[in-house]
């Protein structure tokens, strides 16, 4: 029973307690020399789009991506301890990731709008990084639009682990953008209402399987496993 599971990070696996928006603000400040007039708009978008949007809204030209990614990574690394102090892994996450990693034939990684450096910071802050196969994940530097990240992760899984192209993929996430990414790429989706979106909103977006959070490990594994038979 083979399966490729891709987990979102913010508000799916962890609560960042506002540290994410502080990272974007710090990166903007480092690049522009001034404070942004309003917080970053995130909601499941990639770092490429989030940072570009900040510069557009501030009436400034966006720097080359290389400089943006470097500023984001530096801001994220500087806030590891702050994230650990204020944030938390969400209910059931450690057990769910541990159980998924133990399944024979499953590859469990991340699909996130965060750049890879900050994804690692957020996961390492709560001891989750060792429970995921991070090299095959897809990150915010890999594409602008979330659905395009699915193909990136699939290619990496094939190249690094020989995972066949037709192995079922399932996304786990907390926003309608996660649901959209799954539906538009032929992937399964398990939506969790652990962010700002309700179970009803996630169902309306097209998710068939929706949970309040990941606290019921047996149920989470059962839902994920059901996609392996598709």
């Amino acid at each position: 029973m083979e399966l490729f599971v891709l987990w979102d990070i913010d508000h799916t696996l962890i609560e960042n307690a506002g540290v994410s928006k502080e990272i974007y603000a710090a990166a903007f400040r480092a690049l522009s020399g001034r404070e942004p007039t309003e917080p970053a708009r995130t909601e499941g978008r990639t770092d490429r789009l989030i940072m570009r949007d900040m510069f557009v809204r501030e009436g400034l030209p966006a720097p080359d991506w290389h400089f943006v990614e470097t500023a984001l990574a530096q801001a994220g690394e500087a806030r590891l301890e702050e994230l650990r102090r204020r944030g938390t892994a969400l209910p059931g996450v450690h057990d769910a990731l541990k159980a998924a990693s133990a399944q024979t034939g499953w590859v469990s990684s991340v699909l996130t709008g965060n750049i890879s450096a900050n994804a690692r910071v957020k996961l390492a802050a709560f001891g989750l990084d060792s429970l995921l196969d991070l090299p095959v994940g897809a990150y915010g530097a890999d594409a602008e639009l979330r659905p395009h990240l699915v193909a990136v992760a699939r290619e990496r899984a094939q190249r690094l682990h020989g995972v066949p192209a037709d192995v079922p993929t399932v996304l786990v996430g907390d926003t309608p953008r996660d649901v959209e990414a799954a539906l538009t790429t032929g992937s399964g989706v398990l939506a969790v209402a652990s962010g700002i979106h309700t179970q009803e909103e996630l169902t309306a977006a097209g998710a068939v399987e929706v949970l309040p959070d990941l606290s019921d490990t047996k149920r989470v594994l059962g839902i994920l496993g059901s996609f392996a038979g598709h």
Side-chain angles (χ1 to χ4, degrees):
M1 186 172 72
E2 292 186 304
L3 188 67
F4 189 24
V5 186
L6 293 167
W7 309 78
D8 174 51
I9 295 178
D10 292 298
H11 313 299
T12 298
L13 299 181
I14 73 160
E15 170 52 54
N16 65 62
V19 174
S20 270
K21 292 197 175 182
E22 293 170 12
I23 290 172
Y24 296 123
F28 179 87
R29 183 170 60 250
L31 293 162
S32 69
R34 64 178 176 84
E35 296 287 341
T37 58
E38 59 182 289
R41 299 171 184 170
T42 54
E43 293 191 1
R45 295 189 301 166
T46 66
D47 279 0
R48 282 183 178 269
L49 288 183
I50 291 166
M51 290 301 294
R52 182 195 298 170
D53 179 60
M54 286 187 77
F55 279 91
V56 169
R57 285 186 288 117
E58 299 290 339
L60 298 172
D64 289 343
W65 171 248
H66 166 75
F67 298 110
V68 177
E69 184 171 15
T70 299
L72 283 171
Q74 291 172 344
E77 183 179 7
R79 284 160 181 78
L80 171 60
E81 292 305 322
E82 185 70 5
L83 178 63
R84 186 174 283 144
R85 184 178 68 83
R86 286 163 47 192
T88 186
L90 287 168
V93 163
H94 186 276
D95 289 343
L97 292 182
K98 187 175 181 179
S101 70
Q103 298 296 306
T104 301
W106 288 24
V107 175
S108 181
S109 189
V110 296
L111 189 144
T112 174
N114 290 282
I115 61 169
S116 60
N118 288 349
R120 288 177 182 274
V121 164
K122 290 178 177 183
L123 295 167
F126 309 108
L128 304 176
D129 51 325
S130 63
L131 301 175
L132 292 153
D133 190 340
L134 296 180
V136 303
Y139 302 91
D142 294 323
E144 290 192 350
L145 300 178
R146 200 173 193 92
H148 297 168
L149 295 178
V150 177
V152 172
R154 284 173 172 163
E155 186 278 328
R156 286 176 177 158
Q158 291 174 43
R159 176 165 46 85
L160 296 175
H161 294 312
V163 174
D166 60 351
V167 165
T169 301
V170 57
L171 275 56
V172 185
D174 67 288
T175 74
R177 291 182 191 273
D178 295 298
V179 178
E180 176 196 19
L183 297 180
T184 58
T185 59
S187 305
V189 61
L190 167 56
V192 286
S194 45
I196 64 171
H197 298 282
T198 65
Q199 290 181 257
E200 290 75 20
E201 288 174 318
L202 295 168
T203 299
V208 175
E209 300 288 356
V210 184
L211 295 177
D213 55 34
L214 296 169
S215 59
D216 188 337
T217 304
K218 184 176 180 180
R219 190 172 181 194
V220 170
L221 266 287
I223 292 171
L224 294 177
S226 72
F227 291 107
H230 289 183

